[in-house]
Amino acid sequence: MLGVTTMGKRGGAMPFEFSVSDFIPARAQDIYDAWLSSSGHEQITGGQTAQISAQEGAAFTVWNGYITGRNLKLEPGRRIVQSCRTTKFADTDPDSQIEVLLQPAAGGTTVTVRHSNVPYGHTSYRDGGWQRSYFEPMKQHFKRAR
């Protein structure tokens, strides 16, 4: 169950936003805890190096240094809001923001990522990047953990 919704101006040079959702066979709190711990984040991304904590305002580096950011708002087991940027952002690009919503569902959790202020042209995040880089490895990790 993968859902993608895109908003924003197409064809212009404006940043855009989108949402992507998928079902993960794990409790919402387990996903939250894994996302916000270095070893957990490494496990849910298939072994990509991470330095992250569950502290509001804390800086993080994940995906072997490809993504950096800061925890903006944390609601345990429910919601994670982070600013982030990748090494592909131009120096003039502002940080983008992700909001990770964790909604309990039968047998697991529906995870929705709302990614906003994405620089124009960075469509790979919308067009399968979240699926390949987070949802699929996360599903595999939690299936093994059962």
Side-chain angles (χ1 to χ4, degrees):
M1 170 185 78
L2 172 66
V4 178
T5 305
T6 302
M7 295 142 291
K9 183 177 177 183
R10 288 186 178 253
M14 293 184 65
F16 67 98
E17 62 185 69
F18 66 93
S19 294
V20 61
S21 299
D22 207 343
F23 175 81
I24 305 298
R27 292 179 331 118
Q29 188 65 49
D30 293 340
I31 296 167
Y32 177 92
D33 291 343
W35 194 289
L36 293 170
S37 79
S38 297
S39 63
H41 205 97
E42 289 174 7
Q43 292 171 1
I44 65 171
T45 59
Q48 306 301 318
T49 304
Q51 293 295 319
I52 191 167
S53 71
Q55 184 175 19
E56 273 190 21
F60 64 84
T61 301
V62 297
W63 264 89
N64 300 323
Y66 176 68
I67 302 169
T68 58
R70 186 166 301 282
N71 295 329
L72 301 177
K73 178 78 175 156
L74 303 176
E75 297 175 25
R78 297 189 48 221
R79 182 173 170 247
I80 299 166
V81 180
Q82 298 173 314
S83 67
C84 61
R85 62 187 305 108
T86 73
T87 57
K88 291 186 178 183
F89 280 35
D91 290 343
T92 56
D93 290 331
D95 289 353
S96 66
Q97 182 173 298
I98 63 166
E99 178 181 30
V100 181
L101 300 169
L102 305 169
Q103 183 176 6
T109 302
T110 299
V111 178
T112 299
V113 176
R114 294 180 180 159
H115 197 162
S116 60
N117 209 33
V118 181
Y120 173 74
H122 291 244
T123 58
S124 66
Y125 311 121
R126 178 195 65 206
D127 300 341
W130 279 102
Q131 187 64 32
R132 285 185 306 277
S133 300
Y134 276 87
F135 293 151
E136 289 305 322
M138 199 180 305
K139 287 178 190 178
Q140 294 304 314
H141 166 71
F142 285 113
K143 281 181 186 175
R144 285 191 303 272
R146 286 185 157 184

